[in-house]
Amino acid sequence: MACSSILEVCTAPAADGGICELRVALYGYACEEHTVTTRDGYILSMQRMPMGRSGETGGHRPPVLLQHGLLMDGITWLLNSPDESLAFILADSGFDVWIANTRGTKYSQGHTSYSTDDSAYWDWSWDELVAYEFPATVQYVNDQTGQKLHYIGHSLGTLIGLVSLSQGIQMDLLRSAALLSPIAYLGQVSSALARTAAKIFLAEDMYWLGIHEFDPKGQPVENLLKVICKTPGVDCYDLMTSFTGKNCCLNSSSVDVFLDNEPQPTSTKNLIHLAQMIRGGTIAMYDYEDEEDNIKHYGQPTPPVYNMTSIPNDFPLFLSYGGADAVSDAQDVQILLENLKSRDGDKLVVQYQDDYAHADFVMAVNANQVVYDPLMAFFKLQ
């Protein structure tokens, strides 16, 4: 094992039970397990697919970093067969593929000071994913490859990317970004499950009950879901659809893989932050709901707002959204696009797929032709 003291990183062959062994190596692809320690002490796993099925490493292989969404991990990009999953497709198309795994998920539960049993371990929202995880993973990929990289986010991964770009974080190390089912503004979320949870302050109630880890497979969350499931309009016989919208193009085998590996834990504080976005319709830092606390953290009585118009107009963006998406609602996406309208003409590619819902962008059997081919064509122009 080789380690570096600069970012406290280590590399190793595919670990027993890790994502490389579980979802990559079994298809005959090379895969490396990496770890990165963030400045706030979280030890994150990353997977690298340095080549495709052919095994050829020749030529220029641009690096691309994949960032999953809420309640998911890096397996997001490996749920289908190699001909249908984005990570495999990118590797076979000449890219050097890096897969991120957010703190708290199964393979990223290490910390330099805390265990997952400590409430302090779960004291974060997506603000910290922007401030610490995004720069650490981008820097690591750049250090390992010596190249600028492309970024792909799905769902919460797009929010992390957009806010990081608006803050100018690691801009000099990035070539472009692709945003699949973009999450920025959430005021028009039509997901009955998400809207109801935000309306009844579910995450806040959990937090004050001392539940700092939101584990979808844990008993406390199951008990609270039973409460939501009694709400008119929430169909708990199909939780995925109730949350994501009606996905058009999933097959049963990928859903089985999903159910075997997901959903993953996150922090209750992270869900509070997202609920604040749904209720407020803005993109702001975490609101401590108390002027004195906000002043202590931010030097002002209300949280600072993230400004999407601050993303440089010459930075290339590929954005793909769906008409059936209940989380990344088309109306909210239009607000985001309005904020991006001053971009240079060839630096924003927008794709709309009328029948796609939230999960289709990473699980649809036809996503290769519908979304990934145009995405890779966009990358190759940058």
Side-chain angles (χ1 to χ4, degrees):
M1 178 178 289
C3 299
S4 164
S5 60
I6 298 174
L7 276 174
E8 296 182 71
V9 297
C10 303
T11 65
D16 289 345
I19 289 178
C20 278
E21 180 183 311
L22 188 65
R23 293 298 303 164
V24 182
L26 78 164
Y27 290 112
Y29 287 75
C31 188
E32 303 166 1
E33 293 281 355
H34 293 245
T35 60
V36 179
T37 301
T38 65
R39 284 193 296 113
D40 57 345
Y42 289 84
I43 302 170
L44 313 176
S45 76
M46 295 183 71
Q47 291 73 44
R48 181 188 193 182
M49 299 171 62
M51 63 192 77
R53 273 176 290 195
S54 68
E56 295 179 3
T57 58
H60 182 69
R61 297 186 71 89
V64 55
L65 174 63
L66 305 178
Q67 177 61 60
H68 62 80
L70 182 69
L71 303 178
M72 298 291 287
D73 65 1
I75 290 176
T76 292
W77 311 103
L78 304 160
L79 289 167
N80 285 345
S81 71
D83 294 325
E84 297 170 340
S85 296
L86 182 54
F88 294 117
I89 292 166
L90 287 166
D92 285 333
S93 300
F95 291 90
D96 184 356
V97 179
W98 294 80
I99 300 173
N101 295 272
T102 293
R103 60 187 65 187
T105 57
K106 182 177 180 179
Y107 301 104
S108 292
Q109 295 194 337
H111 193 278
T112 55
S113 301
Y114 307 122
S115 80
T116 54
D117 293 328
D118 299 321
S119 61
Y121 177 91
W122 299 100
D123 186 20
W124 53 269
S125 78
W126 57 260
D127 280 334
E128 282 70 34
L129 306 186
V130 169
Y132 300 110
E133 291 200 5
F134 181 88
T137 53
V138 169
Q139 183 70 58
Y140 183 62
V141 174
N142 176 257
D143 287 346
Q144 293 294 305
T145 65
Q147 299 184 59
K148 291 186 177 182
L149 53 140
H150 300 289
Y151 176 89
I152 300 177
H154 174 247
S155 189
L156 184 65
T158 68
L159 178 62
I160 295 168
L162 284 164
V163 173
S164 298
L165 293 173
S166 77
Q167 298 294 292
I169 298 173
Q170 303 288 42
M171 291 290 294
D172 59 328
L173 304 184
L174 296 168
R175 296 186 187 206
S176 69
L179 312 170
L180 308 181
S181 193
I183 294 296
Y185 299 92
L186 289 174
Q188 303 301 317
V189 163
S190 58
S191 163
L193 191 60
R195 185 162 288 284
T196 299
K199 181 179 180 181
I200 67 174
F201 289 78
L202 175 70
E204 286 85 348
D205 288 345
M206 292 179 63
Y207 193 83
W208 292 115
L209 288 171
I211 304 171
H212 298 279
E213 173 190 2
F214 184 90
D215 181 359
K217 298 178 181 178
Q219 194 61 49
V221 174
E222 286 187 13
N223 293 338
L224 288 165
L225 276 175
K226 290 176 182 177
V227 175
I228 293 183
C229 289
K230 295 178 181 177
T231 305
V234 179
D235 177 14
C236 286
Y237 289 103
D238 187 352
L239 274 176
M240 178 182 282
T241 296
S242 188
F243 179 66
T244 66
K246 188 172 179 57
N247 298 285
C248 70
C249 307
L250 310 189
N251 66 29
S252 59
S253 61
S254 63
V255 173
D256 288 343
V257 174
F258 170 85
L259 293 173
D260 285 343
N261 297 280
E262 319 293 337
Q264 293 287 323
T266 188
S267 74
T268 304
K269 185 176 179 180
N270 194 31
L271 294 184
I272 293 173
H273 197 175
L274 293 167
Q276 291 172 351
M277 294 174 66
I278 292 173
R279 293 192 296 264
T282 58
I283 312 176
M285 299 187 80
Y286 182 86
D287 191 346
Y288 288 88
E289 305 289 353
D290 179 90
E291 286 192 1
E292 290 186 6
D293 280 347
N294 282 333
I295 289 172
K296 182 174 71 174
H297 285 89
Y298 308 125
Q300 59 187 60
T302 57
V305 174
Y306 293 114
N307 184 3
M308 293 298 100
T309 63
S310 296
I311 300 174
N313 288 333
D314 60 353
F315 185 80
L317 292 176
F318 176 94
L319 187 151
S320 185
Y321 69 111
D325 197 327
V327 181
S328 177
D329 187 90
Q331 296 177 76
D332 283 326
V333 175
Q334 290 305 312
I335 298 173
L336 172 62
L337 292 174
E338 182 67 19
N339 278 270
L340 300 175
K341 67 180 182 181
S342 298
R343 306 188 61 72
D344 298 348
D346 61 342
K347 298 301 181 182
L348 176 62
V349 172
V350 179
Q351 180 192 63
Y352 174 75
Q353 188 67 18
D354 184 63
D355 59 346
Y356 263 35
H358 204 63
D360 282 310
F361 289 91
V362 291
M363 294 175 66
V365 295
N366 64 346
N368 189 5
Q369 295 76 33
V370 173
V371 180
Y372 306 156
D373 280 349
L375 184 159
M376 289 187 293
F378 170 80
F379 278 173
K380 289 174 181 178
L381 292 174
Q382 309 311 320

